């Protein structure tokens, strides 16, 4: 059986390609002995298949940024699909289905164009992810979709190679729960993996955080991510920073109001003094 399978592999992979006229196409192996031809073509085919599995399907995963008068968002938001936006769940009644995470609509609405171009970059196969994304985004806020074939296979894992995005990495934020799933750690904002809890509000907080970064016109988002990567829960850290900022702003307003009232009181005393004089 092994001999038969090996012979079939050599015959199917080692045969020369045939042209429209039915004749074999001449290649770099055509002048070699027949057995050597078939062995080398088979070896080349196996290497090509291995490279196709391990490397992204193309060098530039996204088209070039558009030029004026068209609008190119200044930042790129890269989102994993599974356990970030949806969660697979199996029940006797429905079988396998994907639950939509609370806050997906909020995130896409507040972090879509013109602030971010939104890219789904997932380890899922295209035939699985495509209808899910269609259901999540009926308004077309997700501009690009990248599937498993565009990842790089490294040490048994499919890794998102952000250097192939054809974008300036100073403006790219990648959201994923897997610490090993992204090639550029400085662009990776790691969230906790969603387990299907429908009371979760992390995407709402994430939307507020990303919108704050974009509206602040940060020149290099990696510096912001470097700071938040030091926390186990970046969203909780952002929420605390926002609270402290609001308290500081309120304290400044109160101080200004007190100074205004003090000046008003002093002015009234001086005016009263001069009237008496």
């Amino acid at each position: 059986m092994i001999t038969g399978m090996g012979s079939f592999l050599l015959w199917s992979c080692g045969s020369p390609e045939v042209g429209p006229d039915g004749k074999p196409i001449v290649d770099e192996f055509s002048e070699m002995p027949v057995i050597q031809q078939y062995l080398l073509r088979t070896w080349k085919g196996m290497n090509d298949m291995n490279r196709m599995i391990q490397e992204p399907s193309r060098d530039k995963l996204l088209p070039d940024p558009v030029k004026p008068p068209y609008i190119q968002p200044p930042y790129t938001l890269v989102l994993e699909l599974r356990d970030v936006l949806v969660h697979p769940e199996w029940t006797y009644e429905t079988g396998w289905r994907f639950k939509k995470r609370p806050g997906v609509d909020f995130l896409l609405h507040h972090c879509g164009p013109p602030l971010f171009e939104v890219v789904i970059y997932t380890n899922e196969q295209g035939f699985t992810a495509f209808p899910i994304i269609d259901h999540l985004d009926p308004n077309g806020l997700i501009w690009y979709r990248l599937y498993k074939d565009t990842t790089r296979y490294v040490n048994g894992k499919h890794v998102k190679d952000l250097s192939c995005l054809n974008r300036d990495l100073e403006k790219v934020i990648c959201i994923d729960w897997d610490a090993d799933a992204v090639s550029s750690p400085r662009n990776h904002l790691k969230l906790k993996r969603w387990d299907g809890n429908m009371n979760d509000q992390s995407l709402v907080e994430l939307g507020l955080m990303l919108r704050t970064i974009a509206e602040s016109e940060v020149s290099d988002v990696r510096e912001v991510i470097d700071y938040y990567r030091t926390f186990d829960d970046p969203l909780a850290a952002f929420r605390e920073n926002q609270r402290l900022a609001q308290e500081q702003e309120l304290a400044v307003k109160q101080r200004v109001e007190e100074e205004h009232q003090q000046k008003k009181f002093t002015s009234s005393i001086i005016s009263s003094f001069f009237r008496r004089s």
Side-chain angles (χ1 to χ4, degrees), residues 25 38 56 60 69 91 121 127 143 148 154 175 179 228 237:
I25 299 175
Y38 276 70
K60 292 170 58 174
T91 64
Y121 196 174
F127 61 82
W143 281 14
K148 179 175 283 188
V154 181
I175 308 297
Y228 282 105

Side-chain angles (χ1 to χ4, degrees), residues 1 28 40 50 56 121 129 136 144 148 188 200 214-215 277:
M1 184 174 64
E28 66 268 32
L40 291 178
N50 186 52
Y121 196 174
L136 289 179
Y144 304 108
K148 179 175 283 188
H188 180 198
D200 180 87
E215 291 179 341
S277 301

Side-chain angles (χ1 to χ4, degrees), residues 6-235:
S7 300
F8 176 77
L9 178 65
L10 284 174
W11 176 259
S12 60
C13 297
S15 299
E17 296 185 15
V18 179
D21 56 358
K23 296 181 180 180
I25 299 175
V26 177
D27 58 19
E28 66 268 32
F29 309 116
S30 298
E31 301 298 327
M32 300 178 181
V34 175
I35 295 179
Q36 188 176 3
Q37 288 184 36
Y38 276 70
L39 287 173
L40 291 178
R41 286 195 190 99
T42 301
W43 181 253
K44 181 176 182 295
M46 293 174 63
N47 285 334
D48 291 344
M49 178 66 70
N50 186 52
R51 186 166 55 253
M52 183 180 68
I53 294 173
Q54 292 185 352
E55 298 180 2
S57 57
R58 51 193 185 275
D59 295 331
K60 292 170 58 174
L61 299 181
L62 300 181
D64 293 337
V66 299
K67 304 296 183 181
Y70 301 101
I71 297 176
Q72 173 66 41
Y75 301 95
T76 300
L77 175 61
V78 180
L79 298 169
E80 170 57 51
L81 184 64
R82 179 187 287 259
D83 295 334
V84 173
L85 302 182
V86 298
H87 178 71
E89 183 180 73
W90 187 89
T91 64
Y92 284 106
E93 293 80 11
T94 63
W96 282 107
R97 66 172 184 171
F98 284 86
K99 295 176 64 176
K100 179 180 177 180
R101 189 173 189 174
V104 170
D105 296 333
F106 181 91
L107 175 66
L108 294 178
H109 177 73
H110 284 79
C111 297
L115 295 179
F116 290 89
E117 58 174 353
V118 182
V119 181
I120 296 293
Y121 196 174
T122 178
N123 288 332
E124 296 294 321
Q125 297 286 1
F127 61 82
T128 300
F130 198 93
I132 298 173
I133 299 172
D134 279 347
H135 179 73
L136 289 179
D137 182 37
N139 297 317
L141 296 174
I142 298 173
W143 281 14
Y144 304 108
R145 309 175 183 194
L146 303 173
Y147 307 114
K148 179 175 283 188
D149 66 296
T150 60
T151 60
R152 189 177 299 279
Y153 194 69
V154 181
N155 297 325
K157 293 197 68 172
H158 289 274
V159 178
K160 302 174 179 68
D161 192 346
L162 302 185
S163 65
C164 294
L165 284 180
N166 192 30
R167 293 293 184 270
D168 182 0
L169 292 184
E170 292 183 356
K171 309 295 184 181
V172 175
I173 300 177
C174 183
I175 308 297
D176 203 317
W177 54 267
D178 187 351
D180 300 322
V182 182
S183 65
S184 306
R186 294 193 65 200
N187 295 91
H188 180 198
L189 184 61
K190 183 175 177 290
L191 297 188
K192 291 182 178 179
R193 187 174 187 176
W194 184 49
D195 59 2
N197 177 15
M198 297 305 292
N199 294 320
D200 180 87
Q201 292 297 309
S202 297
L203 292 188
V204 174
E205 297 176 353
L206 176 64
L208 296 174
M209 178 181 181
L210 295 175
R211 190 173 184 89
T212 300
I213 293 174
E215 291 179 341
S216 300
E217 298 182 353
V218 175
S219 60
D220 190 342
V221 297
R222 295 173 295 186
E223 297 177 359
V224 179
I225 296 175
D226 285 341
Y227 169 76
Y228 282 105
R229 277 176 39 232
T230 61
F231 298 93
D232 293 333
D233 189 347
L235 297 181

